[in-house]
Every structure is written in C-alpha cells, then in structure tokens.
Amino acid sequence: MFKRLCLLVLLVVTPFVAAQELRTGLVLSGGGARGLAHIGVLKELEARNIPIHAIAGTSMGAVIGGLYAAGYSAAEIEQIALELDWQTTLGDDPLREDIPFRRKQDDRDFLVKHRLSFDRGRLNLPLGLLQGQNLGLVLETLLVHTNDIDDFDRLPIPFRAVATNIATGEAVIFNQGHLPLAIRASIALPGFFAPVKVDGQLLVDGVLVKNVPVDVARAMGVDRLIVVDIGTPLKSAEQLNSLIDVMDQTTTLLTRTNTQEQLDTLGPEDLLIQPELSAMGFSSFDEAAFAIQAGSASLADRPELQAFAAGHPRTEETANPRDIRPSRQPVIHAIRIENSGKVADQVVRSMIRQPLNEPLNLDRLETDMGTIYGTDYFSRVNYEIVHGEQINTLLVRTSGRETGTDYLRLGLSLADDFNGGSQFNIGASFRVNGVNPLGAEWLSRLQIGQHQIFYSEFYQPLDYGSRYFVAPFVDAEARNVEVILDNDPVADYRQTRYGAGFNLGRQIANNGEIRFGISRYTGEADVRVGDPALPSFGFEEAFYTLQLDRDTLDNVNFPRAGDEARLIWRQSDPDLGADERYQQLELRANKVLASGPNSFQFGGSLGRTDGEVGVAQSSFLLGGPGQFSGFRQNSLAGQNYNLARLLYYRRLNPGNFVPVGLPVYLGASFEYGRVYNKEDDGFDTGYMAAGSLMLGLDTVLGPLFFGLGANEEGERALYMKLGQTF
C-alpha cells in the first residue's frame, strides 16, 4: 500500500517538476528597423512571466537580444529605441561640434559631402557606404558594463551572435570575446556597412547564412524555442525606387532560403512568432513605435504561451538580472593606446580627457571618440575597459584607413537671378593627411570660374596636442569688382593678386583658432567692362594679419544650434614692401536657435577700410540672398558695410535614417544695412531693408536654394543658388 502511494505521488509530481525544469531559448531574426518588433515581443514575455534561459540573435536580433542578455529590461530597451537619434547612429560623422576646427572648415569650403580617398596616389573605394563608427560607439556605451565578461555564457542570459565570413561564406558564431564588437559584426549589412575585422576575418551581417539561428539556440542546451521571425516581404518593381530599396530586396532574396531551412526544423514544442509589419521598410526607424506595438500584438491570442510561463510569480530577484550594470562607472587607473594610423600614439592620447583615478566619464569619452575619428586619420575608433586585479585600463583602439588618408573633395557654386546675371564656380581640394607623426597636413584648393582661387598651405603642429601650429602658404585669386560712383556703375574691374605668407597660430579646443601672419602680394586691376580710358593699375601689398575664428554650429548648411564668428584685421604696411598703408577690419557673427522643426538665425557683420587705397583693390563684395537680397550675387562692392540679418527656416519633411536623405526647408530672411565707400562723393546705398523667401534642399552637392528677393531700392530678383563660394 505504501509503495503504491509513493508511486502515485511520483507520477503526479514528475510532470510538474519536469515542466519547471524545461529551459527556453529565444531566437531573434534580422530585419533592420523591422527588428524593433523584438522589443514588443520581449515586453509581452516579461508580462506573461516567461523566463528566457538562452538567446541567439542575428543582425538587429543580435542588437536587441544582446542588450536583453546583458541585463537591460524590455522597457529600458524600448526607451533606448524611441529616444535614440537613429540618423546620427547609422552614420559615420561625429557630431559637428566634436570634430577638430580644421575639419569644420572643410565642410564650409567644399560642400560636396562625399570625398574620394587616395593612398600613395591611387584611388581607393570604401568597402561599404558607412564604416559603422557611430553605431559601434553606441554599442560600446550601452554595454560598457560587460567589458570584463569574455565568455557570453557568463552574461545574465547566455547569448550568441551570428555573423558571416565574407571570404568563405561560413557562419561565425560568437560565444565569447568583446560583446559590442560581436554585435557590430552581426549587423554589418554588406554594401551598407563595411565588413568588421575580427581575429583576421572579414565579417558581415549574419542574415546571409543564418537569419533565424534556430540551430545555434538549440545547441545552447535548451529544451524548447520561442522563435521570432520578422521577415521582409518582397517589393514590387514599382516599389524599388532607391539604392536602399534595391539593397533591402537583395538581402531579402538572399535570406529566404536559409530562413526557411531553419524554420523547417521547429518541432511541436517550439513556438514561432511572426509579427505583422505590413510594408514597413528595414530603414524606417522613424516607425519604431509602430514596430514595437506590432511585436506586442503578435503574442495576443496565443494560448500556447501558457506552457512557457514560470510556475512561480515574477519578482525582482527572478526577473532579468541587472546587477552587473553598476550605478557608477569604474575608476580608470591607466589609459593605453593601440594605434595603427599614421600619427603618433601621443596625438591620439592628447585627445582623451579622461582623468586618471576617477570614474569613467562616458559623455566626455564619446566626445573624445568623435574628435579622434573626426581627424580623418582612422577608419574606426573604439574603446574597451580592461579590468585587471587592481587596475582598470581604458584601452583606445584606432584603425588606420585602408583606403588611404589623402582626400579629394569637390565644391560647386552656382548663382542665377534669371535675368542674365549668373555666376558659376567649381572647386576642388586635395589634402594629404599624416605627413609626419605630429599630424602635419598639406592642403591645396583650386577654384575656377568667375572667382578663381588657388591656395596651398602646409599645416605643421608644434606639439602632439596640435595646440600650436605654423602654416606657410601661397595664395592667388582673380575676381570681378564693380566700381560705382554716385550710385551708378562706371566700370567692372578684373582684380588679380598672388603672393605668399606665413601664419603662426593656436587651436582653441575644437571650436576655433587664432592666427597671426605676415604676407606679401603683387596684384593688378584691369578694366573689364566700362570706359577704356579708365585707368588700369598694379599694386604691391604686404600685410600683418590677425584672424580669430569660432564655429560651434551643428550643421554648416541648415544649423539648429550653435554659433559662429570671424574677426579679420589686416594692415598693409610700406615697411613690409606695400605701396600704401591701409587697414581693413571685418567682423561676422551668427547665433542659431531652434524649436521643433523651426530654426532662427540672428546675425550681423561689418567691414571697414581705413587709408588711402583704391576701391577696386579694397572692396568687400555683397549682394544676393541673405546679403542684401534683390541685388545680384556680389554686385555690391564697397569699402565699408553694415549688415544685420534674421533668417528663419522650417523643415518640411521628417528625418531620414539613411545616408541618401534629402531634407527640404522653407524659409525667409530679413536684412538691414548699408554699403558705402569712404569718399564723400562715392558710392553709398544708405540704410535700406531687404528680404527674401526661399525653398532650400540639403543635397549631396551642397545646399540648393530657390528664392525671391527684394529691397527698398526697388531691386527684385529670382535666385537659384547651389553651394557657396569659398
């Protein structure tokens, strides 16, 4: 009787115990922005008290799964996804305020965003549209607390990430190593992101071999699986309208076979979840909330989920562990540089402001990473915290650009008033980076058109921090200058000058620089249009120059924050070889504020000329949209001017999260000022108001404006302006 009773108890209890001991694995597929649906699935699993014992993910599934395995809750991951600036994260460019001042000037002078890389004179093309620099830094920051974990089985939830060896076509399963790097390799979509080098292997997105890594999760020793397959429907021919669409379609075609092979291995104990995401694209990160909701909705009316639920209530102790994410960052005792670039390790070290024996400052470190990457010496910059027995070391790795660090950039400017007045200039710059370990550069600029420029400068830092520098240069230009007397044009001069000089300067953080220089020029001014009897003349100039620049704008074309200022003072001195003694001062300042899609710029500028010098030799050029609208571009030439300006513009289309976006803006300007010469009987516009209405596009060739300008002088003009002159 006793034996029968024990047997009965055993038969009743055993299934219950076995059910409690079943281990559940979670499989998360790739899918780009569609993969954010994984977050909604995780939220529902937590709400239904379903424990997860292992996670295997590919691409975006590796991102979401890796964060969850590292101790983030579903709600925390949702907050990250909704608040993250995806446009910046999926780009390579650091925040503009973080990059060195010289790189900011490149943006202003040569507005074509893309550049060509050269190595020893040979053109090299990148292995992807993007290097994934910003994405890598975001992962490093979010997962900094896992830096002392090499074995992914030691994470709060054991984890695997899947990548593809692009050389062999074989799957690479990450079960150990540096977690952010493993995830970064798993999401390296070919063509979009450059391959990631790990242990001598070139790795790309795991979707090519195991988009739904069912077998990887099963090998982790689980008893059953919850599989989330995002899937991406094929687009019709009419829906393939961009490079991104074609890349998305190609990836979908490549993954369909391996996805189905993995799904065919599912058994009756497994659960397949396929969220309904309709036609959401893989780059539609602006639809993050929709994707998350779709993930949550996919678990509605799924009674089979009850079998996966834990038999005990979910508590803080049994929830997804978060104890390895300390409230404060580790104390940094040492900093080590692993540098494969052209410049010395000390140059990299000088840009890292983390104090020793103090807690890690992640905000400052992110800024420093942007500064280092912004030098254009490196293809990738990342960091890792190496935990020793008694010391924590901040390890900064920099990878030299395999495509070379010599850059060709193109510039274009076109202005037309649709009334016969047009200006066209095309330019190029070639910059040789890393000439020596201190980071010397040789920059040459050439512009042809109505305003011709040639400028070549050798920039030599005097210390590893690039604080002080010397910069010898040669300079030549030719431009048209209209001479006006009694407010009537009398001649159009072609002014040419060429010379050389030497600057000594200091960099002011990343925001500006100050220069003092000496230069010598020879020039001439010839009558191009007007009375041939008017004199042509030559001149000799030699200057002392002081120049102070500041630039904290977040965008050079359509900024939303920051300010800019430039002060230039120069004196032509006979003691240096000049014909005449005269001084010129020019000051420009601009402040930007934004609210929602609206941006406001408040600015002003002035120019002064003091001394006996010819108008054609010493005039400032104004006219055109934003600079006395209604007049033709550069049609106002005066030795002195005052200008106050208010500019408003509003972005009409939402943010784009791919590198081929085309932002559109509607704007208006109001200007008030005066242009005049110093002679009593010379040119003087008097104070006048001007304004314009504009439609602007931020294109890959620079800003494109269409506008209508008018002023109190009765001048009216339609404008089309592409780019800007140097």
Side-chain angles (χ1 to χ4, degrees):
M1 182 66 183
F2 179 75
K3 291 183 177 179
R4 291 181 179 179
L5 182 61
C6 290
L7 180 61
L8 180 62
V9 172
L10 185 63
L11 291 173
V12 173
V13 173
T14 298
F16 178 77
V17 174
Q20 298 307 301
E21 293 178 346
L22 290 178
R23 292 169 52 82
T24 300
L26 180 64
V27 179
L28 303 179
S29 77
R34 295 168 61 90
L36 297 177
H38 295 316
I39 302 172
V41 172
L42 290 173
K43 289 176 63 179
E44 291 298 317
L45 294 179
E46 285 187 357
R48 297 167 186 258
N49 196 26
I50 297 175
I52 301 299
H53 303 91
I55 300 175
T58 298
S59 197
M60 183 57 75
V63 176
I64 305 301
L67 291 174
Y68 197 69
Y72 285 92
S73 68
E76 290 173 317
I77 301 174
E78 179 182 30
Q79 184 178 7
I80 292 169
L82 295 177
E83 295 180 356
L84 194 64
D85 183 348
W86 287 100
Q87 185 169 1
T88 299
T89 300
L90 297 178
D92 281 336
D93 295 333
L95 296 177
R96 191 169 182 272
E97 55 263 38
D98 294 342
I99 67 176
F101 179 77
R102 286 183 63 79
R103 300 292 82 84
K104 294 179 180 180
Q105 292 302 104
D106 291 343
D107 288 341
R108 186 172 300 281
D109 292 344
F110 294 92
L111 293 176
V112 176
K113 300 175 183 179
H114 301 286
R115 58 188 187 270
L116 300 175
S117 301
F118 289 80
D119 184 21
R120 300 181 180 88
R122 183 181 65 184
L123 174 65
N124 291 307
L125 298 177
L127 298 179
L129 289 176
L130 299 168
Q131 296 296 320
Q133 169 66 18
N134 292 346
L135 176 60
L137 288 180
V138 169
L139 292 172
E140 294 285 356
T141 299
L142 293 174
L143 297 169
V144 67
H145 61 281
T146 68
N147 278 184
D148 61 339
I149 299 177
D150 295 326
D151 184 355
F152 295 172
D153 286 337
R154 291 178 52 221
L155 293 167
I157 301 176
F159 174 70
R160 301 290 184 269
V162 181
T164 303
N165 186 324
I166 192 64
T168 66
E170 298 176 344
V172 176
I173 313 301
F174 283 97
N175 60 4
Q176 61 182 1
H178 188 50
L179 181 59
L181 184 61
I183 296 174
R184 170 67 186 86
S186 181
I187 202 171
L189 183 65
F192 194 82
F193 287 121
V196 178
K197 184 175 290 187
V198 181
D199 298 331
Q201 303 179 95
L202 281 179
L203 306 181
V204 298
D205 202 313
V207 299
L208 300 181
V209 288
K210 292 183 186 293
N211 183 41
V212 187
V214 170
D215 58 344
V216 176
R218 217 179 286 283
M220 297 175 73
V222 297
D223 302 297
R224 56 191 179 178
L225 298 174
I226 297 175
V227 179
V228 187
D229 175 27
I230 297 302
T232 303
L234 290 174
K235 293 181 173 65
S236 66
E238 291 75 20
Q239 294 173 310
L240 298 173
N241 300 315
S242 69
L243 172 64
I244 301 300
D245 292 335
V246 174
M247 292 172 61
D248 186 19
Q249 187 88 329
T250 302
T251 303
T252 301
L253 291 170
L254 292 172
T255 61
R256 297 183 78 183
T257 300
N258 75 66
T259 295
Q260 193 58 49
E261 288 176 350
Q262 292 288 314
L263 296 181
D264 289 342
T265 67
L266 297 179
E269 74 282 1
D270 304 316
L271 176 63
L272 175 61
I273 301 170
Q274 294 177 307
E276 177 54 50
L277 294 165
S278 63
M280 179 181 176
F282 92 110
S283 63
S284 301
F285 287 92
D286 53 337
E287 301 182 50
F290 166 76
I292 295 171
Q293 178 57 39
S296 297
S298 66
L299 272 72
D301 301 323
R302 299 296 296 267
E304 54 270 52
L305 281 171
Q306 187 60 38
F308 290 83
H312 48 79
R314 191 177 184 90
T315 66
E316 187 66 26
E317 288 73 27
T318 60
N320 191 31
R322 293 186 283 275
D323 58 340
I324 68 164
R325 293 169 50 209
S327 58
R328 59 179 300 182
Q329 300 297 339
V331 174
I332 301 300
H333 302 100
I335 298 175
R336 190 169 85 246
I337 308 297
E338 291 184 359
N339 170 36
S340 64
K342 290 183 176 181
V343 297
D345 294 354
Q346 296 94 319
V347 173
V348 178
R349 178 65 180 88
S350 70
M351 302 180 194
I352 302 171
R353 297 170 296 162
Q354 170 66 43
L356 296 182
N357 302 315
E358 292 187 14
L360 178 66
N361 187 324
L362 277 175
D363 291 338
R364 181 182 294 171
L365 184 58
E366 288 180 19
T367 297
D368 295 343
M369 295 296 102
T371 300
I372 297 170
Y373 187 79
T375 62
D376 270 350
Y377 298 147
F378 311 105
S379 62
R380 189 159 183 259
V381 179
N382 66 342
Y383 66 90
E384 180 180 348
I385 310 300
V386 180
H387 298 270
E389 292 185 1
Q390 296 184 346
I391 65 171
N392 299 318
T393 301
L394 172 61
L395 174 60
V396 177
R397 296 189 180 94
T398 59
S399 302
R401 289 191 179 272
E402 296 179 355
T403 56
T405 58
D406 302 340
Y407 298 106
L408 175 67
R409 295 190 68 175
L410 302 177
L412 180 67
S413 72
L414 171 65
D416 197 309
D417 61 7
F418 298 97
N419 196 33
S422 62
Q423 293 191 9
F424 180 83
N425 298 285
I426 186 171
S429 74
F430 189 77
R431 171 163 47 88
V432 181
N433 268 1
V435 177
N436 54 45
L438 281 174
E441 302 175 3
W442 182 18
L443 173 66
S444 296
R445 297 173 179 167
L446 175 66
Q447 177 174 291
I448 57 176
Q450 281 156 309
H451 187 186
Q452 300 172 2
I453 296 174
F454 174 76
Y455 181 85
S456 187
E457 175 187 271
F458 189 83
Y459 178 88
Q460 176 62 64
L462 301 178
D463 61 345
Y464 288 115
S466 298
R467 292 166 295 184
Y468 296 94
F469 63 88
V470 294
F473 65 90
V474 294
D475 185 17
E477 74 167 339
R479 64 176 188 167
N480 298 332
V481 179
E482 192 171 58
V483 177
I484 302 176
L485 294 176
D486 297 325
N487 291 346
D488 293 319
V490 295
D492 193 354
Y493 278 85
R494 184 66 170 176
Q495 181 197 95
T496 61
R497 55 159 48 98
Y498 55 92
F502 181 88
N503 285 318
L504 172 66
R506 190 186 194 284
Q507 179 177 290
I508 306 173
N510 291 328
N511 300 331
E513 67 176 27
I514 183 170
R515 294 186 174 208
F516 176 78
I518 298 176
S519 58
R520 174 74 183 268
Y521 289 87
T522 296
E524 60 184 22
D526 297 317
V527 176
R528 189 176 73 94
V529 178
D531 187 352
L534 290 172
S536 298
F537 59 94
F539 53 86
E540 297 288 333
E541 297 177 315
F543 296 104
Y544 296 109
T545 303
L546 179 66
Q547 180 171 326
L548 177 63
D549 286 284
R550 173 180 167 87
D551 185 348
T552 66
L553 299 178
D554 61 346
N555 185 293
V556 69
N557 298 335
F558 298 95
R560 291 181 50 79
D563 57 73
E564 61 177 341
R566 167 170 283 188
L567 170 67
I568 301 176
W569 170 87
R570 63 178 188 169
Q571 177 172 301
S572 182
D573 198 319
D575 293 339
L576 296 177
D579 294 333
E580 304 286 346
R581 182 185 302 274
Y582 73 95
Q583 296 184 54
Q584 280 193 313
L585 173 70
E586 187 172 24
L587 173 63
R588 299 196 297 265
N590 195 34
K591 175 66 178 178
V592 182
L593 301 173
S595 176
N598 306 300
S599 298
F600 303 86
Q601 295 186 33
F602 307 87
S605 57
L606 63 86
R608 293 290 184 268
T609 302
D610 182 23
E612 299 296 326
V613 60
V615 173
Q617 184 180 341
S618 60
S619 288
F620 300 99
L621 298 182
L622 299 108
Q627 299 192 90
F628 297 106
S629 298
F631 291 101
R632 291 181 292 107
Q633 185 81 16
N634 293 339
S635 64
L636 294 177
Q639 294 177 307
N640 305 278
Y641 77 93
N642 308 318
L643 175 64
R645 184 177 70 173
L646 170 63
L647 175 65
Y648 163 81
Y649 54 87
R650 178 184 178 90
R651 182 161 180 173
L652 301 181
N653 55 345
N656 295 283
F657 305 99
V658 294
V660 292
L662 189 65
V664 180
Y665 301 86
L666 182 65
S669 72
F670 175 77
E671 309 122 49
Y672 186 78
R674 173 192 179 197
V675 184
Y676 60 101
N677 294 329
K678 57 183 175 44
E679 295 95 344
D680 294 336
D681 60 346
F683 170 57
D684 191 342
T685 64
Y687 282 97
M688 62 178 175
S692 61
L693 296 175
M694 299 174 290
L695 181 69
L697 294 86
D698 196 6
T699 76
V700 296
L701 297 178
L704 174 62
F705 295 96
F706 297 92
L708 171 64
N711 57 60
E712 286 188 314
E713 294 292 311
E715 300 286 340
R716 303 285 188 274
L718 290 171
Y719 297 109
M720 182 187 74
K721 186 178 180 182
L722 175 63
Q724 66 183 49
T725 56
F726 306 140

